[in-house]
Amino acid sequence: MNVTGPETGGGIGDPIQHGGNLSRARALFGQALEPWVDLSTGISPHSYPHSPLPGNVFARLPEVASAEKLKALAAGAYGAPSTAHVAAGPGTQILLPMVADLVVGKGRAAVLSPTYAEHARAARLAGFEVLETADLNRLAEADLAVIVNPNNPTGRIVGRDELLALAAIMRGKGGLLVVDEAFMDVSEASSVADAVDAGGLAVLRSFGKFYGMAGLRLGFVISHPETVARIESRLGPWAVSGPALHVANEALGDSQWRQAMRMRLKEDATRLDALLAAAGISVMGGTSLFRFIRDPRAQAIFRHLGEHGILVRRFEERPDDLRIGLPGESDWPRLEEALKTIERAK
Amino acid sequence: MNVTGPETGGGIGDPIQHGGNLSRARALFGQALEPWVDLSTGISPHSYPHSPLPGNVFARLPEVASAEKLKALAAGAYGAPSTAHVAAGPGTQILLPMVADLVVGKGRAAVLSPTYAEHARAARLAGFEVLETADLNRLAEADLAVIVNPNNPTGRIVGRDELLALAAIMRGKGGLLVVDEAFMDVSEASSVADAVDAGGLAVLRSFGKFYGMAGLRLGFVISHPETVARIESRLGPWAVSGPALHVANEALGDSQWRQAMRMRLKEDATRLDALLAAAGISVMGGTSLFRFIRDPRAQAIFRHLGEHGILVRRFEERPDDLRIGLPGESDWPRLEEALKTIERAK
């Protein structure tokens, strides 16, 4: 457990370093092979095969009817009780401080850690004193509790019963449990999206990761209808872009693709684990969209792959940790080649 | 002047009716010709002719370097002092409550009215008591003053000297003047984007209207760098989508197109005025992207056009007002035909 002041490297307002930044990778590894193989995110390499965008999808304001359809499809796909329990916004990221703001009076926030660093930043921004803790029991003491489930980057899963018990505690004192289910699409864990009507609970879902469409910016809050109304009031009209509505209204209605993709990503993850194992690197956890490694050679592995034009995710504050995303179909040989020459553990 | 309680039709959280909602138009005029000619917005019918979107623009997270380039181009195009004076978000709409939140301590807001209704709603949402007034002098009494310049829908212009004097007053008491320059691209009015460094002033710019790309969702706040940093902290990373970055990074760098389009829209507006005049309807004001009509026959004109499948903007709270946007190239004959049979003023 550690009670945090500012994030590593600065104050509340300073940006946190994330995966997916190839400019920084190029600055770091000037000599590396182009094009970069970017395995630094948890975004699927298999984008949803949507139909061509209609010509007016950029020109016109997003249609209200299309945005309503999106909410209905999201409620079905994610298991929310109804459309009224779903708010859609331009990416989950921008929703984080809005959700933290829902807790009246603020006070203390607790984030089950280590995890996606933006949760603690958003809570601080919203005026909370933030505890980042690995102890689930400490979360009940807070006014705002945050759990990423399954967790990014470790893959740790918190059970449904524990989550619902914690939500009941939060509800009892006017607090809020936020469960970020950004990687739930590929998980064996149980979503709690169906349980939001009782109150005290907000579930976040991310469209871009599982559907390989992170550039679209689309995320959801699933919560009690009153909470949803407050979020929507803050978002205002036209929060979701025309292209995002077009793609997501096809994708979220396509349960066959979803089912098949879950299988495929599982196979990809197994293939990745096998490659890493052959190079003497053991996977500690993760989800089908990323694998988590805790290894004293982590920095050396990061550099070795970087010198071969392959970017993986390291964590400034935890030098033994790495997260490796799934290669796209044409990127496997590059990874296999690079792993062949990695120095084995002694 | 009127001191407002809730907006017409409900409380703070209730959505305001806007232009661009064809589903509502279809419900209202079941028998009308399809496809609808939508003149209910102030969005240009001439979309920017961007190059094809690269394949990875949806799949990948928006690149940090591309977002930085956008800010630099926006600073140039809009006349901001530097890149550090510009924050980019997914549409101006979502930025409104964030900007209102910048005023510490809140208190009173004053919105120069009538104008775009979302400003008053955003200020109430942020906790202000809101005065909607037609008297510019009353704005100096507020902690948050809002002026849309040129105004939507009337086209009224407030001069640069008056704006800068008001910004100085706001600065002196820790308040903020928000100047929404959503339609400044087509105006003879003077932008105050170059004057934000002194403080007390935030300028809003909208990408989608002039570039005919409202579905992309892209808007800007131009203000003092400290204010910009607070907005960006709230937006978090990846606030602008991949498609928006691609299109806007071409469009904002293309000053030749901008210059030519200003002329073309002016010609379109003159053509529209002539058509309306031939039907006995006088235009009171507006900008090159929309024309403003105040006429006792406004409701009859709205219905007559609606029955011909042409949607214009009416205003529930001001029944004599109409706003008419520019037809696209193929839509002029439909409008001309419909106006031929309109009942002339006695």
Side-chain angles (χ1 to χ4, degrees):
Chain A
M1 189 210 79
N2 65 85
V3 179
T4 57
E7 282 291 322
T8 315
I12 292 178
D14 288 339
I16 294 169
Q17 299 296 324
H18 291 285
N21 189 338
L22 288 183
S23 322
R24 212 170 59 236
R26 288 192 184 97
L28 211 55
F29 300 102
Q31 311 295 329
L33 286 171
E34 293 271 355
W36 274 87
V37 173
D38 184 7
L39 309 183
S40 71
T41 75
I43 300 160
S44 174
H46 312 299
S47 298
Y48 182 77
H50 60 88
S51 71
L53 300 174
N56 64 2
V57 87
F58 290 165
R60 285 185 55 80
L61 277 169
E63 270 281 346
V64 173
S66 183
E68 282 301 308
K69 182 182 170 192
L70 174 70
K71 287 170 46 165
L73 287 170
Y78 297 139
S82 84
T83 301
H85 294 78
V86 180
T92 312
Q93 177 63 45
I94 208 169
L95 297 169
L96 300 184
M98 295 187 196
V99 170
D101 272 341
L102 291 169
V103 180
V104 180
K106 309 294 164 70
R108 290 185 299 169
V111 180
L112 192 60
S113 300
T115 193
Y116 183 57
E118 293 284 346
H119 283 291
R121 192 183 72 84
R124 282 190 198 97
L125 198 63
F128 289 88
E129 187 188 321
V130 178
L131 173 75
E132 296 178 73
T133 175
D135 180 358
L136 183 59
N137 295 316
R138 297 292 307 271
L139 267 64
E141 300 164 15
D143 306 293
L144 172 69
V146 182
I147 297 177
V148 180
N149 197 45
N151 192 40
N152 169 13
T154 61
R156 183 252 319 117
I157 288 174
V158 177
R160 179 181 169 89
D161 292 349
E162 283 178 294
L163 293 171
L164 295 186
L166 185 53
I169 293 169
M170 302 315 279
R171 179 166 66 247
K173 59 177 168 182
L176 184 69
L177 168 63
V178 175
V179 182
D180 181 351
E181 298 187 347
F183 293 97
M184 184 57 81
D185 304 79
V186 293
S187 174
E188 305 302 320
S190 290
S191 170
V192 289
D194 61 321
V196 296
D197 198 60
L201 177 63
V203 173
L204 302 175
R205 299 292 299 234
S206 164
F207 179 79
K209 295 176 180 73
F210 177 68
Y211 289 97
M213 285 275 167
L216 271 188
R217 311 312 297 136
L218 178 60
F220 300 91
V221 181
I222 300 170
S223 195
H224 189 277
E226 278 175 26
T227 309
V228 164
R230 285 171 67 190
I231 295 281
E232 290 188 330
S233 183
R234 197 81 196 178
L235 289 167
W238 319 298
V240 176
S241 73
L245 287 175
H246 174 80
V247 172
N249 279 343
E250 289 187 356
L252 290 175
D254 189 347
S255 58
Q256 203 177 344
W257 188 89
R258 194 155 61 236
Q259 204 53 43
M261 185 49 62
R262 273 200 203 105
M263 294 297 297
R264 177 162 186 191
L265 292 170
K266 207 167 175 174
E267 288 162 16
D268 282 358
T270 305
R271 181 175 172 188
L272 180 54
D273 286 4
L275 268 191
L276 292 166
I281 302 168
S282 340
V283 169
M284 297 268 298
T287 73
S288 295
L289 281 169
F290 57 81
R291 309 306 289 159
F292 176 65
I293 290 159
R294 182 162 284 166
D295 191 306
R297 297 167 300 160
Q299 296 301 315
I301 297 169
F302 175 84
R303 279 192 305 273
H304 178 85
L305 292 175
E307 284 157 8
H308 287 74
I310 297 169
L311 184 64
V312 300
R313 177 77 161 94
R314 61 175 173 178
F315 301 86
E316 208 179 337
E317 60 286 16
R318 301 186 304 277
D320 288 352
D321 291 3
L322 287 181
R323 191 187 63 194
I324 306 192
L326 298 181
E329 211 39 57
S330 59
D331 295 332
W332 287 98
R334 287 271 301 276
L335 179 63
E336 194 166 357
E337 195 58 34
L339 285 173
K340 271 185 193 157
T341 53
I342 210 159
E343 202 185 341
R344 309 281 303 215
K346 308 275 150 53
Chain B
M1 185 212 82
N2 66 83
V3 179
T4 56
E7 282 290 323
T8 315
I12 292 178
D14 288 339
I16 293 169
Q17 298 297 323
H18 291 285
N21 188 340
L22 288 184
S23 322
R24 212 169 58 236
R26 287 191 185 99
L28 212 54
F29 300 104
Q31 310 295 331
L33 286 171
E34 292 272 354
W36 275 87
V37 173
D38 184 7
L39 309 182
S40 70
T41 76
I43 299 160
S44 174
H46 312 298
S47 298
Y48 182 77
H50 60 89
S51 71
L53 300 175
N56 63 2
V57 87
F58 289 165
R60 284 187 56 80
L61 277 169
E63 269 282 345
V64 173
S66 184
E68 282 301 307
K69 182 181 171 193
L70 174 69
K71 287 171 45 163
L73 287 169
Y78 297 139
S82 85
T83 300
H85 294 79
V86 179
T92 311
Q93 176 64 45
I94 207 169
L95 298 168
L96 300 184
M98 295 187 196
V99 170
D101 271 341
L102 292 169
V103 180
V104 180
K106 308 297 165 70
R108 289 185 301 170
V111 180
L112 193 60
S113 300
T115 193
Y116 183 57
E118 292 284 346
H119 283 291
R121 192 183 72 85
R124 281 190 200 98
L125 199 61
F128 289 89
E129 186 188 322
V130 178
L131 173 74
E132 295 179 74
T133 175
D135 181 358
L136 183 59
N137 295 317
R138 298 292 306 272
L139 268 63
E141 300 164 15
D143 306 293
L144 172 69
V146 182
I147 297 177
V148 180
N149 197 45
N151 192 39
N152 168 16
T154 63
R156 183 254 315 118
I157 287 173
V158 177
R160 179 179 169 88
D161 292 349
E162 283 178 293
L163 292 171
L164 295 187
L166 184 53
I169 291 169
M170 302 315 279
R171 179 165 66 248
K173 59 177 167 182
L176 185 69
L177 169 63
V178 175
V179 182
D180 180 352
E181 298 188 347
F183 293 97
M184 184 57 80
D185 304 80
V186 293
S187 175
E188 305 301 320
S190 290
S191 170
V192 290
D194 62 320
V196 296
D197 198 61
L201 177 62
V203 173
L204 302 175
R205 298 293 298 234
S206 164
F207 179 79
K209 296 176 179 74
F210 178 67
Y211 289 97
M213 285 276 167
L216 270 188
R217 311 312 297 138
L218 178 60
F220 300 91
V221 181
I222 300 170
S223 194
H224 188 278
E226 278 175 26
T227 309
V228 164
R230 285 171 66 190
I231 295 280
E232 290 187 330
S233 182
R234 197 83 196 176
L235 288 168
W238 319 299
V240 176
S241 72
L245 287 174
H246 174 81
V247 171
N249 279 343
E250 289 186 359
L252 290 174
D254 189 347
S255 59
Q256 204 177 342
W257 188 90
R258 194 155 60 236
Q259 205 53 43
M261 186 47 62
R262 275 199 202 105
M263 295 296 298
R264 177 162 185 192
L265 292 170
K266 208 167 175 173
E267 288 162 17
D268 282 358
T270 305
R271 182 176 171 188
L272 180 55
D273 286 4
L275 267 192
L276 292 167
I281 302 169
S282 339
V283 168
M284 298 267 299
T287 73
S288 295
L289 281 170
F290 57 82
R291 310 305 289 158
F292 176 65
I293 290 160
R294 182 163 283 168
D295 190 307
R297 297 167 300 161
Q299 295 301 316
I301 296 169
F302 175 84
R303 280 192 305 273
H304 178 84
L305 293 175
E307 284 156 7
H308 287 74
I310 297 169
L311 183 65
V312 300
R313 177 76 159 95
R314 62 175 173 177
F315 300 87
E316 207 180 336
E317 60 286 15
R318 301 185 304 278
D320 288 353
D321 291 3
L322 287 180
R323 189 187 66 194
I324 305 192
L326 298 180
E329 211 40 57
S330 58
D331 294 333
W332 288 98
R334 288 271 302 275
L335 179 63
E336 194 165 0
E337 196 57 35
L339 285 173
K340 269 185 192 157
T341 52
I342 210 160
E343 201 186 341
R344 310 280 302 213
K346 308 275 150 52

